[in-house]
Structures are given as C-alpha cells and as structure tokens.
Amino acid sequence: YGNLPAVWRGYIALELSTGTTEDARALYRRCYTRHFEGDPGESLAICKEWLRFEREEGSAEDYSFAVKKLEPRLAELASFAADLASKVATTSGEGAKASKAAAAPVLSREDMQRMRREADPHFSKGKEAKEAQKKGAKDASLGKRAREG
C-alpha cells in the first residue's frame, strides 16, 4: 500500500488526531518523494499539505527545512506536469478529429447511399442509370394517368 496516497494521508491524519505531530512530520518526510500510482497531482497535494502543516504546527526551522526539501520536488513535479501537458497537446489533434466527427451533419439514408456509390469504384453507373430510368418511367406513367383522369 506504499504507493497509494490515501493510505499515507490516512496514516498522517491518524497521527494528527492523536496529537503526535512529530510522527506526522516523520511521515511527511518519508512520503513527499514517493511516486504515487494514478494521479500525479497527489504528490503535489501531499507536498502542499506538508508545507501547510509546518506553517501551522511547526517552528520556523521546521518550515524552512520543509521548504528546502520541497523546492526540488516541486520543480520535478512542475516539469512532469509540463511534459504531460505537451503530450496531451500532441494528442489533442486526435481529439479535434473526434469533435469534428461529432459535429458532422446527420445525413439521410438516401444521402449516405448516394455518397457510398459515388466513392465506390466498383459500383456500376449503368445500374444507377437503369434505376433512374425505371423511376422516370414510373413518374411518367403516373403523370399520364393524371392527365387522362
């Protein structure tokens, strides 16, 4: 359970609830450099909690010790966050494609069928012409009946 931040936070909270600030301080010193599973923001949160703890409970020496220890770790976490942001930015092009697809117009069944036929090199244009001719003949016969009637 050493890589789960909730376990460390619970342990620190237990020590603080019993009033053993020295043990809580020792736990902060042990866990601030850990690389927790899941969210990298957990390490940053624990670092901030340690600074808050020293500001509220510790002496000036304790606080300056915590700042001295946390400066390199905070710089490392900031660098990690910047790398993660650049990775997200490079993959956001894929996200943009997905959002464009989501914003694509809704087509009718006939429109989709027509587009597939236009894109299909194996589709016979003659077959399409025959279908149009049948439809035209049917429309013509309906028009002739309407004029006769």
Side-chain angles (χ1 to χ4, degrees):
Y1 300 109
N3 290 335
L4 299 174
V7 174
W8 284 96
R9 283 185 169 153
Y11 193 17
I12 291 168
L14 174 71
E15 295 298 338
L16 291 174
S17 69
T18 60
T20 53
T21 56
E22 286 303 316
D23 291 336
R25 181 173 289 115
L27 288 172
Y28 277 122
R29 287 179 182 170
R30 283 179 54 199
C31 78
Y32 81 97
T33 59
R34 292 203 175 255
H35 298 279
F36 294 114
E37 293 177 0
D39 185 15
E42 293 291 336
S43 293
L44 180 63
I46 287 184
C47 290
K48 289 180 179 181
E49 288 173 14
W50 186 21
L51 284 175
R52 183 190 46 78
F53 167 77
E54 293 298 353
R55 187 174 52 246
E56 293 173 1
E57 302 289 332
S59 64
E61 292 84 24
D62 292 330
Y63 182 75
S64 65
F65 177 81
V67 169
K68 180 181 160 190
K69 287 290 188 179
L70 289 174
E71 281 178 350
R73 179 67 174 147
L74 291 174
E76 177 187 348
L77 291 171
S79 172
F80 180 76
D83 290 344
L84 186 62
S86 69
K87 286 180 184 176
V88 169
T90 58
T91 59
S92 68
E94 294 170 10
K97 290 177 187 174
S99 66
K100 285 181 184 177
V106 178
L107 300 173
S108 69
R109 185 175 182 184
E110 292 81 19
D111 289 338
M112 288 189 291
Q113 193 174 34
R114 180 185 49 77
M115 290 173 70
R116 280 191 210 115
R117 286 179 179 168
E118 289 173 358
D120 187 2
H122 303 293
F123 183 75
S124 170
K125 299 285 184 184
K127 185 178 179 183
E128 188 176 64
K130 285 180 185 177
E131 287 177 6
Q133 187 178 16
K134 283 182 185 178
K135 187 176 180 182
K138 190 183 270 187
D139 290 343
S141 68
L142 289 175
K144 187 177 181 182
R145 286 184 194 164
R147 281 182 265 158
E148 291 174 358

